[in-house]
Amino acid sequence: MFADINRQLRKLSIRKMNYRITEISIDFEDDNFELPPTEQQAIIDDVKSLTWEASDPDDLVEEITNAIGFCINSIDYSDED
């Protein structure tokens, strides 16, 4: 099996935890385009206001990246379980 398939299968069988983001640095630059600062802050505020469900910290980063469409440079969080 391929690594991605194995990872998806593991995610299905692993209990998810709840995470709250305390700090996050997001890469808002993309091919000479940068999101305006007010929109950047709105995305950061939205991410920090939600409770995120993920199986582990790597999955947490993937979930947030998929939701916002930007890569994460660094992240601090607390788990709520």
Side-chain angles (χ1 to χ4, degrees), residues 37-70:
T38 55
E39 291 181 40
Q40 291 180 23
Q41 191 59 51
I43 291 172
I44 291 169
D45 292 344
D46 286 345
V47 168
K48 290 171 73 174
S49 71
L50 297 173
T51 299
W52 294 87
E53 187 176 83
S55 57
D56 58 40
D58 290 335
D59 186 40
L60 175 63
V61 169
E62 184 177 325
E63 292 287 332
I64 296 171
T65 299
N66 289 337
I68 64 174
F70 294 99

Side-chain angles (χ1 to χ4, degrees), residues 11-48:
K11 285 173 64 174
L12 291 173
S13 65
I14 295 175
R15 184 175 87 81
K16 301 261 184 171
M17 295 176 52
N18 291 323
Y19 294 91
R20 293 290 297 205
I21 308 308
T22 54
E23 291 296 325
I24 189 165
S25 171
I26 302 170
D27 182 4
F28 288 110
E29 291 187 34
D30 183 21
D31 295 332
N32 297 323
F33 170 78
E34 186 173 353
L35 214 57
T38 55
E39 291 181 40
Q40 291 180 23
Q41 191 59 51
I43 291 172
I44 291 169
D45 292 344
D46 286 345
V47 168
K48 290 171 73 174

Side-chain angles (χ1 to χ4, degrees), residues 1-12 62:
M1 287 187 159
F2 297 104
D4 288 343
I5 293 172
N6 283 333
R7 184 166 189 239
Q8 292 300 320
L9 289 172
R10 281 194 311 273
K11 285 173 64 174
L12 291 173
E62 184 177 325

